[in-house]
Amino acid sequence: LDWGEQRIVDLFFGGERLSILVVAAGSERPLSGVEMYLEHIGPEDPVTPPSSLGNSNDRIDFWPHTDGEGRAELPYVQPGRYTLSCFLDGYVSPKVTEVTIVGGQPADVHVALEPAATVSGVAKLASGVPVSDRLYLTLLRPELPEGQQRGAFTENGSFRFKGISAGEYVLAVWRKYPPAPPNSPMLELPVTLKPGESKTVEVVVPN
């Protein structure tokens, strides 16, 4: 269909075209292969025609992917409020953006994904020998609720956190799980991360 014919289809079905561009934050480089999920967040799901792209059980639930130019397009989305979630390995995911579709107005959405940081290292004793016991580590931003902290167990002393956003964190080392009272961390270390940074942290636990 050319643009005019597509608009007739859009208007007939009562939907609007949603064009999405996903880029890397900072560089504005288009990102291909980004998985996206568009979900209606109103009190009721509007019904979309069976031929609508991504239609599933009469719900407007879409799983488009960006092309080589970082673009994706949904040809007819009915008016309403939606959340657009973007997922791509190596970037902080999901990035959730609220989208509002207004009748008679095709929409353009620009999403910038932050390159994800990685924190890794080896928990060692003061002698330099890796800790053989299985320890639990948490990576927490002080301003976020504890339920949003990241956790990882050591394997032969090694640990790794990935998909982390930039910011100030506290890396806590716990001998026992769960990381909650009456247990307390053996060690707490401040960690500062930049977008896309791979940081190695030296962790020396007390004997």
Side-chain angles (χ1 to χ4, degrees):
L1 298 178
D2 62 25
W3 184 88
E5 292 171 330
Q6 183 63 62
R7 288 296 298 136
I8 292 173
V9 172
D10 295 348
L11 294 173
F12 177 79
F13 285 124
E16 292 301 329
R17 182 187 306 279
L18 173 60
S19 298
I20 305 162
L21 173 63
V22 185
V23 300
S27 69
E28 292 294 302
R29 179 174 60 86
L31 297 175
S32 63
V34 178
E35 292 186 357
M36 291 175 285
Y37 182 63
L38 181 69
E39 183 173 22
H40 187 258
I41 58 175
E44 295 181 359
D45 285 338
V47 176
T48 187
S51 58
S52 182
L53 176 65
N55 179 60
S56 174
N57 297 325
D58 290 330
R59 290 175 56 88
I60 295 187
D61 294 333
F62 300 105
W63 279 100
H65 292 72
T66 54
D67 60 18
E69 297 181 347
R71 297 185 180 277
E73 191 170 88
L74 300 177
Y76 35 87
V77 180
Q78 294 191 352
R81 292 174 56 240
Y82 300 83
T83 53
L84 175 66
S85 301
C86 295
F87 305 82
L88 183 63
D89 191 38
Y91 291 82
V92 178
S93 300
K95 172 65 179 290
V96 180
T97 304
E98 185 168 320
V99 178
T100 298
I101 302 297
V102 178
Q105 299 179 20
D108 294 295
V109 176
H110 180 281
V111 179
L113 296 187
E114 177 189 334
T118 300
V119 179
S120 61
V122 178
K124 299 180 180 180
L125 300 174
S127 62
V129 177
V131 177
S132 59
D133 295 337
R134 199 171 192 225
L135 304 177
Y136 188 72
L137 290 83
T138 56
L139 190 63
L140 174 67
R141 293 181 78 159
E143 69 272 20
L144 296 180
E146 289 189 8
Q148 297 184 33
Q149 68 187 9
R150 304 289 290 271
F153 287 99
T154 58
E155 293 292 343
N156 298 319
S158 298
F159 62 90
R160 187 168 187 259
F161 296 89
K162 63 180 183 178
I164 309 298
S165 59
E168 303 286 335
Y169 292 83
V170 174
L171 178 66
V173 183
W174 307 74
R175 190 175 295 279
K176 294 183 179 181
Y177 183 86
N183 299 329
S184 59
M186 296 186 295
L187 183 68
E188 291 183 314
L189 299 171
V191 177
T192 301
L193 296 174
K194 299 177 181 179
E197 180 180 12
S198 285
K199 174 163 287 189
T200 301
V201 180
E202 181 178 354
V203 176
V204 180
V205 302
N207 294 325

